[in-house]
Amino acid sequence: MKIAVTYDNGNVFQHFGKTEYFKLYEVEDNKVVSSEVMSSNGTGHGALAGLLAERSVEVLICGGLGGGAQAALGEAGIEVCSGAKGDTDQAVEAYLKGELVSTGVNCDHHHEEGHSCGNHEDGHSCGGNCGGGCGSKQPELTGRNVGKICRTHYKGTFNDGTQFDSSYDRGEPLEFTCGAGQMIRGFDAAVADMEIGQIVDVHLMPEEAYGMPNPNAIFTVEIAELAGSEDLEPGQQVYLTNQMGQPFPVKVTAKDETTITFDANHEMAGKELNFRIELVEVK
């Protein structure tokens, strides 16, 4: 088996689409037998999956990645373990021990502003950032704004008209680099060829937003093995921490006298979303 890790000076690089290097590990009998550092040769989001597939990579360990990247990697048959931090060798060791928990799509919120997270101990609720399963492979974005810093106002609603977010309400446009994997795929695609001052309405299917729920992201643990879980109730959204010390958001879905079940899928996984987007500025 061959494992690739986004690499920067010994540590896991935190943006898959912008990584300049990968560290490749050859694994036999669940042990690393060799490793090498490989340049990405400036390859962008759309082609990195193909680059790894050409090197027969079966598992990618990375920091952040967007839904489009996860879809492309899934199409290439590459398992993704995202949300990793720290030393790459330790991350691989944790993966081989079954201790590295993926946080899924964690770099493609429709926005990042106003997002405050609590922790498991205080039970503070938080909108998660863990994606669901992989969708179909998406072509690389093209358009006049791809690669440029864009500032947009937007309003997001569900199909019943309920508003879930609005930059207008916050009084500050959202700023992001179009096509860099910082946004959900459908939002990025809508902005890619807009003109300044233009307003568009888009309807996004789950595959263009937060993906479909991943059944593997639902897990049950013994209450006795998770300190503080006895105080949690179904419906709460909290953060857990994996063996690498990385926090990941989950929702409590069930609880009995001895076990508690968590769902690490993004809260909007499986949902169709509507956005009204106004392009304010392009830098």
Side-chain angles (χ1 to χ4, degrees):
M1 178 174 68
K2 189 172 287 186
I3 300 174
V5 187
T6 51
Y7 182 83
D8 180 33
N9 195 30
N11 292 318
V12 180
F13 186 68
Q14 291 301 298
H15 194 310
F16 168 73
K18 293 184 177 180
T19 189
E20 295 182 4
Y21 300 97
F22 291 97
K23 190 167 184 179
L24 304 183
Y25 296 81
E26 190 73 38
V27 177
E28 295 179 3
D29 297 324
N30 216 40
K31 294 182 179 180
V32 174
V33 295
S34 66
S35 64
E36 63 174 311
V37 176
M38 176 189 79
S39 172
S40 67
N41 297 318
T43 303
H45 287 79
L48 282 175
L51 178 68
L52 294 177
E54 289 174 1
R55 295 296 298 267
S56 301
V57 170
E58 298 176 43
V59 177
L60 168 73
I61 297 174
C62 63
L65 87 164
Q70 185 178 23
L73 289 160
E75 185 72 16
I78 299 173
E79 176 188 344
V80 178
C81 195
S82 63
K85 296 180 181 179
D87 185 86
T88 57
D89 294 349
Q90 293 179 8
V92 171
E93 182 179 350
Y95 173 82
L96 295 175
K97 291 180 179 178
E99 297 174 346
L100 193 62
V101 179
S102 177
T103 61
V105 176
N106 54 16
C107 193
D108 71 348
H109 271 47
H110 57 272
H111 73 100
E112 295 293 343
E113 299 170 338
H115 182 73
S116 61
C117 299
N119 54 39
H120 172 74
E121 285 75 22
D122 62 17
H124 185 74
S125 67
C126 169
N129 64 352
C130 181
C134 297
S136 58
K137 186 174 182 179
Q138 300 276 5
E140 188 168 0
L141 285 181
T142 59
R144 74 189 78 190
N145 301 321
V146 174
K148 298 179 181 179
I149 297 175
C150 298
R151 302 183 79 232
T152 64
H153 265 308
Y154 67 90
K155 181 175 74 171
T157 57
F158 296 119
N159 285 344
D160 64 2
T162 302
Q163 178 179 301
F164 60 81
D165 197 10
S166 172
S167 66
Y168 293 102
D169 292 350
R170 292 192 297 275
E172 180 67 27
L174 168 66
E175 183 173 298
F176 63 97
T177 300
C178 185
Q182 299 170 358
M183 312 297 292
I184 53 175
R185 174 76 184 189
F187 197 105
D188 248 348
V191 175
D193 209 34
M194 288 178 66
E195 298 179 355
I196 294 175
Q198 183 179 0
I199 298 175
V200 300
D201 292 302
V202 294
H203 174 75
L204 305 184
M205 298 302 291
E207 294 78 9
E208 303 170 285
Y210 294 96
M212 296 301 293
N214 180 0
N216 293 328
I218 300 174
F219 56 97
T220 300
V221 298
E222 296 288 333
I223 292 176
E225 297 179 359
L226 185 61
S229 60
E230 64 274 8
D231 298 323
L232 297 179
E233 297 295 337
Q236 280 189 271
Q237 290 177 301
V238 298
Y239 265 80
L240 300 182
T241 303
N242 65 21
Q243 295 294 325
M244 291 292 291
Q246 305 151 355
F248 62 101
V250 296
K251 183 176 183 178
V252 181
T253 58
K255 183 182 179 183
D256 59 27
E257 293 182 358
T258 59
T259 65
I260 185 167
T261 300
F262 298 100
D263 186 350
N265 284 292
H266 191 281
E267 60 185 343
M268 291 191 182
K271 294 184 178 180
E272 299 178 25
L273 304 179
N274 302 285
F275 288 97
R276 169 159 289 189
I277 305 171
E278 176 186 358
L279 184 58
V280 177
E281 181 182 4
V282 177
K283 301 180 182 180

